[in-house]
Amino acid sequence: MTRRERAWIAVKRGAGALRDRWFPEPASAPLLSQKAVAGPVPWVIAIMTALTVVAAAGGLALGSIARTAEADLAGGVTVQIAGPAQAETRKQASAAVDALRNLPGVTDVRRLPDAEREALLRPWLGDAAMEDGEPGEDSLLVLPELIELRLAADAQDTGIESIREALAEPAPDATVSADMEWLAPLEGAISALQWLAVALVALLVTATAASVLLASRSALAANHDTIEIMHLLGAHDRQVAQMFQKAAGLSAAAGGAAGFAVAQATIIALGRRFADLGPGNTAAGLHWYDWIALALIPIAGVALAAFTARITVLATLRRMP
């Protein structure tokens, strides 16, 4: 090789190095396009995650409301004396209080004063029926006597009958009712709403899996030629499925995080709306372990998306010639 040829080769190498330094070539594209694999999966999973978290939070809040109401009303009994004249009603109420205080299993007895009884009746009768805290002069209304009492835990099953027997003689016009009686229809309604929330969550999970399945099949069809080349180069079906699984998992993670953020904001907003109902409602009724359970929903969505993509791709590749 002559000196001129060696010099020419050196010039070409130097020019190539300068070209690569100043004008670098773009990096090679991945075998499978991330957008082609993911498709609309992030948006779909974001929507599904938000709806699932809100539905699950509603079910958990309803359960908290039911437990709170049951704890407040458990063992509570109300005795009402109405019918006879005012003097006779007061006489029976005094005798009933004395009898109840000596009854085994009764832990607390309280006779409602006139002001509380009038406050309970005022929304139903109106101010016109009351004058200076008493029934109107032309009114024949006699305020019923109300007695609140609480039973011990070991006396709640047989307490109502024993109270009726104890009041049969001193207060024959008394009616006894357990506070839990009115809660039974509410518990049935809450249970039905909780099952509705469970069914909605199951439906949303199915829809999420279906969307990932369709997106995986669409991505397989779009990358059919690339997959055939990979097979010719010795790639196995599991290696191809792993690529789709990773893409679906990353897309589900992005969508799940966005959906959970939207759901959290929605739950907090609803909690402020229902704050006037008292403790145990909506966001106020969700404990720390409830929030942990809700945070597991997007994580489960990522696992479901990755698993669905892998199973779909493997099943489709086995049918390919």
Side-chain angles (χ1 to χ4, degrees):
M1 182 180 297
T2 63
R3 182 180 296 178
R4 180 180 295 181
E5 290 176 344
R6 289 197 298 269
W8 177 247
I9 293 175
V11 171
K12 288 179 64 178
R13 288 178 179 177
L18 291 175
R19 182 195 61 192
D20 294 338
R21 182 176 180 180
W22 293 344
F23 305 100
E25 295 182 357
S28 57
L31 291 176
L32 297 178
S33 173
Q34 173 73 19
K35 294 183 178 180
V37 176
V41 169
W43 298 100
V44 173
I45 290 185
I47 296 172
M48 295 300 179
T49 300
L51 294 177
T52 303
V53 172
V54 171
L60 293 174
L62 288 174
S64 178
I65 293 173
R67 290 190 298 270
T68 302
E70 185 175 357
D72 292 341
L73 299 179
V77 179
T78 300
V79 177
Q80 177 179 316
I81 303 174
Q86 188 73 45
E88 178 63 20
T89 302
R90 292 181 181 275
K91 178 181 177 181
Q92 291 189 21
S94 299
V97 170
D98 295 335
L100 292 172
R101 284 176 177 170
N102 298 324
L103 190 65
V106 176
T107 59
D108 184 53
V109 178
R110 189 176 78 93
R111 179 180 174 182
L112 270 67
D114 294 343
E116 288 190 34
R117 292 185 290 130
E118 292 161 6
L120 292 174
L121 292 175
R122 193 177 298 276
W124 302 96
L125 301 177
D127 294 334
M130 300 285 185
E131 292 182 5
D132 298 329
E134 294 292 341
E137 295 179 358
D138 298 334
S139 176
L140 299 179
L141 174 66
V142 177
L143 291 179
E145 290 285 344
L146 295 176
I147 303 172
E148 293 180 349
L149 57 126
R150 188 164 294 276
L151 298 175
D154 56 353
Q156 293 182 12
D157 295 335
T158 60
I160 300 296
E161 291 300 326
S162 62
I163 291 173
R164 290 195 177 103
E165 293 176 359
L167 297 180
E169 183 176 349
D173 295 311
T175 58
V176 182
S177 60
D179 294 346
M180 289 289 294
E181 292 179 355
W182 73 270
L183 188 61
L186 180 61
E187 286 182 340
I190 289 178
S191 178
L193 291 175
Q194 286 181 313
W195 281 111
L196 179 62
V198 171
L200 182 58
V201 169
L203 182 62
L204 292 172
V205 169
T206 304
T208 302
S211 64
V212 175
L213 186 148
L214 294 176
S216 300
R217 288 184 176 178
S218 176
L220 277 172
N223 294 274
H224 183 271
D225 295 339
T226 303
I227 294 173
E228 284 190 346
I229 296 175
M230 293 174 63
H231 280 158
L232 293 175
L233 295 176
H236 297 286
D237 290 347
R238 291 184 179 180
Q239 293 174 322
V240 178
Q242 187 175 4
M243 300 178 66
F244 283 87
Q245 176 182 346
K246 180 180 178 180
L250 293 175
S251 301
F260 183 78
V262 173
Q264 186 178 17
T266 303
I267 293 171
I268 294 175
L270 289 176
R272 293 176 180 175
R273 290 286 183 177
F274 286 89
D276 295 337
L277 296 178
N281 298 290
T282 317
L286 296 178
H287 303 283
W288 61 269
Y289 48 83
D290 294 326
W291 283 107
I292 291 178
L294 294 177
L296 292 177
I297 292 178
I299 298 176
V302 173
L304 176 64
F307 177 77
T308 303
R310 182 178 182 85
I311 296 300
T312 303
V313 171
L314 288 176
T316 305
L317 291 177
R318 291 192 187 101
R319 295 194 297 266
M320 291 179 61

